[in-house]
Amino acid sequence: MSPIRAAVPATVDVVSRDVISDEAWAVIGPLFPVVRATGRPPVDRRAVVEANAWRFRTGAPWRDVPERFGNWNTVYKNFNRWSELGVWARVLEKVQFLAQQQGDLDWVASIDSTIVRVHQHGATLPRVTGALSSYKKFGLEPPDHAIGRSRGGLTTKKHLVCDGRGRALAFVLTPGQAADTNLLSTTLEQIRVHGAVGRPRSRPDRVLADKGYPSRANRAWLRDRGIAATIPERNDQIANRRKRAGRPIEFGDEQRHRYRGRNVVQRCFNKLKQWRGIAMRSDKTARNYHAGLCLAATLHWVASS
């Protein structure tokens, strides 16, 4: 039995309406920075994480965080500092490691993207439009804050790859108008699942993707890395291929059967977007919105393992 499953019984909710359960905190609590022995009295780590979960779950402004979690500014400062240090991303990686250690991770991955509207409170920082943006884990803030303009107005696009059980392995934030096909390799390169020894694993056994990804460059990139692909061709690609000599892309009954499993990525999006702060972005920086995604994905891993 995996350490995540052992710590969180199936009958216990990972997040109630107010707090993270004792069982879930037993798993993720030790992953946060230790309390310093000197200086001011430290804030309760669990209260800070619970406040962040409440805030992203409800989509409320930081100033509306209930007083029972402590001072809202203290909560925000800790969240922002941990975001800058990459703590939230490392907590997600650690939960993935626990699943990999017990063989609970399904390496048939699915990739897709979804667009979220940017609330007016999240679009107040100056943006360098047209700048290259491929926000990955943490570090320097992209000049456009991963905010672009599409049919829905100001939007951010989440490019996400999940395992075969619908749990997020990695995600990349871009402006809403970014094309899916250009972000396949960038998204897959963010997978880093550590094992007990050796380098972290970064390559799934197979990738399932829809008709937004079947470019020659993507297929060549996957083939060079030994990653099997189940990606149907678009109708225009099929018509163009018939005009030329060569072997067509095979997509028979076996591939169609495998392709049915791609719905797990849509279920993953559905789980994450149950949190209103994820379904609509009100964070000004891509780094902090990414941190919120890491928190939601971490608790999803804990609940489903």
Side-chain angles (χ1 to χ4, degrees):
M1 180 177 292
S2 73
I4 302 179
R5 184 180 297 277
V8 185
T11 58
V12 176
D13 290 333
V14 171
V15 185
S16 70
R17 301 309 301 175
D18 295 316
V19 298
I20 296 174
S21 68
D22 293 338
E23 293 79 10
W25 184 248
V27 177
I28 67 175
L31 308 179
F32 288 91
V34 297
V35 177
R36 292 186 299 179
T38 59
R40 293 182 178 180
V43 296
D44 184 358
R45 294 293 193 264
R46 181 170 178 175
V48 171
V49 176
E50 289 175 347
N52 292 321
W54 181 92
R55 187 260 173 177
F56 278 99
R57 182 170 185 169
T58 62
W62 285 105
R63 292 178 182 270
D64 292 341
V65 172
E67 293 183 0
R68 65 178 178 273
F69 295 119
N71 181 272
W72 73 267
N73 195 34
T74 301
V75 170
Y76 169 74
K77 286 182 177 178
N78 279 275
F79 169 79
N80 187 59
R81 183 174 69 253
W82 292 348
S83 175
E84 291 177 346
L85 297 175
V87 171
W88 300 105
R90 288 196 291 271
V91 169
L92 176 58
E93 289 178 354
K94 183 65 175 181
V95 174
Q96 293 170 350
F97 159 73
L98 294 176
Q100 169 71 356
Q101 194 175 34
Q102 296 297 321
D104 188 43
L105 203 156
D106 188 339
W107 282 101
V108 177
S110 296
I111 185 172
D112 207 345
S113 69
T114 185
I115 285 179
V116 295
R117 291 287 299 273
V118 179
H119 191 273
Q120 59 184 352
H121 294 167
T124 59
L125 296 180
R127 302 191 308 278
V128 180
T129 58
L132 295 177
S133 174
S134 179
Y135 192 77
K136 301 176 183 180
K137 289 191 176 180
F138 51 88
L140 297 176
E141 178 70 10
D144 58 9
H145 308 297
I147 297 176
R149 189 174 293 277
S150 60
R151 292 182 181 180
L154 293 180
T155 53
T156 290
K157 181 177 281 191
K158 297 195 295 278
H159 305 262
L160 182 145
V161 57
C162 70
D163 80 331
R165 296 182 58 188
R167 301 167 298 186
L169 290 171
F171 27 77
V172 170
L173 301 180
T174 64
Q177 73 273 13
D180 290 354
T181 188
N182 298 332
L183 272 298
L184 180 139
S185 59
T186 303
T187 306
L188 292 178
E189 285 174 346
Q190 301 315 301
I191 299 175
R192 289 289 185 276
V193 179
H194 294 267
V197 295
R199 296 180 179 179
R201 178 166 178 175
S202 59
R203 299 179 185 181
D205 296 328
R206 178 175 293 272
V207 170
L208 312 181
D210 64 12
K211 293 183 179 181
Y213 296 91
S215 68
R216 295 177 60 185
N218 285 342
R219 293 186 188 277
W221 187 88
L222 293 170
R223 186 168 53 250
D224 291 343
R225 286 156 182 78
I227 303 174
T230 299
I231 308 175
E233 285 191 303
R234 296 192 302 269
N235 292 336
D236 62 323
Q237 293 176 324
I238 294 174
N240 291 332
R241 187 175 293 279
R242 287 173 179 170
K243 299 176 182 178
R244 299 177 300 173
R247 187 174 62 182
I249 298 296
E250 180 183 357
F251 203 81
D253 292 340
E254 183 179 354
Q255 291 281 57
R256 291 189 181 92
H257 179 73
R258 288 195 181 113
Y259 187 70
R260 293 175 184 174
R262 198 190 66 85
N263 65 83
V264 295
V265 69
Q266 304 300 335
R267 299 207 301 266
C268 182
F269 282 137
N270 182 49
K271 283 289 186 181
L272 296 177
K273 284 190 174 184
Q274 288 181 14
W275 290 30
R276 294 186 178 184
I278 301 299
M280 175 174 283
R281 172 180 167 180
S282 59
D283 294 276
K284 295 179 175 63
T285 63
R287 181 187 63 242
N288 282 357
Y289 183 66
H290 189 278
L293 279 169
C294 288
L295 172 59
T298 296
L299 294 176
H300 183 206
W301 272 90
V302 174
S304 60
S305 298

